Amino acid sequence: MFKIKTRLICILMAAAMTVCALTACGDSGESTFSAEWTPHKFGVEDTEVNGVKLGMTIEEVKAAIGNPDKEENITEDQFIYGEHINLSYGKMFLSFYDINEGDDIRLGSISSDSPEVKFAGGLHAGSTKEEVLAAFAQDDNPPDLIFYGDKFGRFIYGDFTDMDFMEKKPTGAIENAYIQDRDAETEGYYMIIYHYYNPLKWQDDGSSYTGDYYQLVFYLDSKSDKVTSVLLEHNSAM
């Protein structure tokens, strides 16, 4: 069985986003697509937010937008995946870590529950479900999202599931997006998730792979269908 190696800091951030969704935090606002924006599949070009881009070093970020309001260093002794450095710029939270184990510490995730922080397409906390879907491509009649026989939502484009990694052993880039809303009524929130996987590197016997991926996650209040928070991250997959 394959394993997606998501770092604990991102899990904790996602948990914080969940709490935010349950309390419907985040102000409403209007999303406006620029004249140059055309709906497309999410990719690396969509990983720039408010003047910073995933993969930047701490020095590059500070040169671009100045010194942070708060800086926190999580050492290897405190964190099972090694050193993390977290910077806060108002309501924009940046986390730096070693994405591929052996590389430099670089910007790996950006999150916010503020309408002032603009993600791809100008989307932000307060954007509507319709605005999120309109910003990116959509397939005609996409299939349901099925995990181990259970329906968790529906695809927006693509139909590649986690179980397909080992079964299909893809070598090219993977693009998919889906609405995960199985527990929306009971949990009070649901997610719209966009993925881009760089081409994977397989062992000669095909038993395992390494690679990296980007994801853009919108947490939406299940009653208002408005975005409460957004998480953009770059991680390794193996």
Side-chain angles (χ1 to χ4, degrees):
M1 183 63 185
F2 75 94
K3 178 182 179 183
I4 298 298
K5 186 173 58 178
T6 302
R7 298 169 190 278
L8 181 58
I9 188 67
C10 296
I11 295 174
L12 295 175
M13 290 173 66
M17 297 294 107
T18 298
V19 172
C20 181
L22 291 173
T23 57
C25 63
D27 299 323
S28 61
E30 294 183 0
S31 293
T32 55
F33 301 145
S34 69
E36 294 78 22
W37 184 265
T38 302
H40 58 272
K41 293 182 178 180
F42 168 73
V44 180
E45 68 274 14
D46 301 310
T47 60
E48 183 173 343
V49 180
N50 280 27
V52 297
K53 187 177 179 65
L54 293 186
M56 279 184 163
T57 65
I58 293 175
E59 291 74 20
E60 288 172 335
V61 168
K62 290 181 178 180
I65 60 175
N67 291 323
D69 300 318
K70 181 180 179 180
E71 181 169 341
E72 181 184 18
N73 190 344
I74 303 176
T75 65
E76 187 170 359
D77 290 339
Q78 298 171 300
F79 194 83
I80 60 174
Y81 290 112
E83 182 182 21
H84 275 64
I85 298 176
N86 300 326
L87 306 184
S88 299
Y89 288 87
K91 287 284 189 174
M92 182 170 69
F93 306 100
L94 312 181
S95 184
F96 297 77
Y97 46 85
D98 181 356
I99 294 169
N100 287 312
E101 295 187 358
D103 295 338
D104 296 333
I105 300 290
R106 292 181 178 272
L107 180 57
S109 71
I110 306 170
S111 62
S112 181
D113 61 8
S114 170
E116 296 180 0
V117 180
K118 311 294 185 180
F119 290 79
L123 298 169
H124 54 76
S127 294
T128 65
K129 174 183 179 180
E130 290 74 17
E131 289 171 327
V132 173
L133 294 176
F136 294 98
Q138 299 184 53
D139 285 347
D140 294 330
N141 302 314
D144 289 335
L145 174 66
I146 305 294
F147 284 124
Y148 298 102
D150 295 328
K151 180 181 175 181
F152 277 74
R154 69 171 178 84
F155 281 97
I156 300 169
Y157 60 76
D159 60 359
F160 201 94
T161 70
D162 290 348
M163 292 178 284
D164 289 331
F165 282 96
M166 293 306 298
E167 294 178 3
K168 297 182 178 180
K169 294 183 170 55
T171 56
I174 300 168
E175 300 167 307
N176 72 359
Y178 51 83
I179 300 174
Q180 185 172 316
D181 58 7
R182 172 176 172 160
D183 300 317
E185 185 173 343
T186 56
E187 299 294 341
Y189 76 99
Y190 62 97
M191 294 175 286
I192 298 178
I193 305 173
Y194 295 89
H195 282 132
Y196 175 81
Y197 285 84
N198 285 315
L200 305 178
K201 298 178 181 179
W202 288 85
Q203 287 191 354
D204 292 340
D205 61 2
S207 62
S208 64
Y209 60 85
T210 58
D212 59 290
Y213 68 98
Y214 298 85
Q215 71 172 359
L216 178 60
V217 184
F218 296 92
Y219 295 82
L220 293 94
D221 179 81
S222 58
K223 293 182 179 179
S224 67
D225 284 332
K226 287 188 175 181
V227 176
T228 59
S229 53
V230 188
L231 171 65
L232 173 67
E233 65 177 347
H234 182 195
N235 263 304
S236 58
M238 64 178 299

